[in-house]
Amino acid sequence: ILPIIGAEDPYCYRNKVHAVFSRRRNGEIVSGIYQEGTHKVVPVETCQIEDQKADAIIGTIRGLLKSFKIKVYDEDTDYGLLRHVLIRTGAKTGQIMVVLVTRSPIFPSKNNFVKALRKLHPEITTIVLNVNGQKTSMILGEKETVLYGKGYIEDELCGKTFRISSKSFYQVNPVQTEKLYGKAIELAGL
């Protein structure tokens, strides 16, 4: 077996970060991941493999929900607005996309919410509202509205520029992806 070509820096590489939002019994808004085999949300403040800017933006959104009186979605009652937040970052370009996944297309004070989020994170280049009104475990719905920016980000990989939307497939570790693709090209002897 040939030696593994490891990552020089195995931290904060993940360019796609997803958080599900929930509310505790005491009313505290939490975001994180589902506990294995359940739909109970395990709070996550930071993660060693996720982009640190993405983690910070998710934390900011948690705080803004309270000040804007936006309810998080409750699967049991089918009530509430915000279901998930998806953040995509361009490793080489620095561009950042925030996708707010809601139960309904009606987002009260959305313009003020976007302004407040961008004021705290001016590095955000686009914000998209994705509507998922279905009772499903799928994160993204079909309908989207661009609230700010172009509705996509761009990133560079192996000398090529890629346009990445909320639904695009794009490898989550761009540094290792370039190593993998480079090795495949080398071994193919093109």
Side-chain angles (χ1 to χ4, degrees), residues 81 102 104-108 129 131:
L81 181 65
T102 59
S104 160
I106 300 165
F107 192 114
L129 178 68
V131 180

Side-chain angles (χ1 to χ4, degrees), residues 2 26-27 37 51-52 63 72-73 76 79 81 113 115 121-122 125-126 138 142 155 166:
L2 298 173
N26 66 4
D51 182 279
Q52 290 177 312
V72 295
Y73 180 70
D76 296 330
Y79 177 76
L81 181 65
F113 187 89
K115 280 181 192 171
H121 292 282
T125 52
T126 192
M138 295 294 290
E142 291 300 315
D155 200 22
S166 64

Side-chain angles (χ1 to χ4, degrees), residues 16-190:
K16 180 181 175 184
V17 177
H18 162 255
V20 61
F21 282 70
S22 184
R23 203 180 83 207
R24 290 187 169 159
R25 288 185 183 165
N26 66 4
E28 178 191 6
I29 295 172
V30 295
S31 62
I33 58 173
Y34 288 123
Q35 181 178 324
E36 185 178 6
T38 74
H39 275 222
K40 180 183 175 193
V41 176
V42 177
V44 175
E45 296 287 325
T46 61
C47 175
Q48 291 184 343
I49 64 170
E50 293 176 348
D51 182 279
Q52 290 177 312
K53 287 180 188 170
D55 282 344
I57 292 168
I58 290 168
T60 297
I61 291 171
R62 264 196 323 271
L64 288 176
L65 293 176
K66 187 175 182 181
S67 61
F68 278 84
K69 296 184 171 112
I70 295 170
K71 302 286 185 211
V72 295
Y73 180 70
D74 183 319
E75 287 182 332
D76 296 330
T77 63
D78 196 34
Y79 177 76
L81 181 65
L82 186 72
R83 294 174 72 131
H84 307 272
V85 170
L86 174 69
I87 300 182
R88 303 192 81 149
T89 57
K92 292 220 173 120
T93 63
Q95 296 179 19
I96 298 175
M97 170 192 289
V98 175
V99 183
L100 305 168
V101 183
T102 59
R103 177 181 164 273
S104 160
I106 300 165
F107 192 114
S109 301
K110 69 182 170 200
N111 293 338
N112 290 332
F113 187 89
V114 167
K115 280 181 192 171
L117 181 57
R118 289 204 56 254
K119 184 177 181 183
L120 295 166
H121 292 282
E123 67 273 22
I124 295 171
T125 52
T126 192
I127 301 174
V128 176
L129 178 68
N130 178 283
V131 180
N132 183 352
Q134 304 294 313
K135 277 194 140 191
T136 175
S137 60
M138 295 294 290
I139 295 168
L140 297 174
E142 291 300 315
K143 186 178 179 195
E144 288 190 342
T145 305
V146 177
L147 301 179
Y148 171 77
K150 296 179 179 177
Y152 61 87
I153 61 170
E154 291 181 338
D155 200 22
E156 295 172 20
L157 190 68
C158 298
K160 303 289 181 195
T161 300
F162 292 87
R163 184 181 289 183
I164 305 160
S165 72
S166 64
K167 298 177 184 179
S168 295
F169 173 80
Y170 192 64
Q171 294 286 356
V172 296
N173 187 336
V175 173
Q176 287 300 96
T177 299
E178 282 199 332
K179 287 181 183 180
L180 175 67
Y181 290 178
K183 185 54 91 173
I185 291 168
E186 175 193 324
L187 293 175
L190 301 175

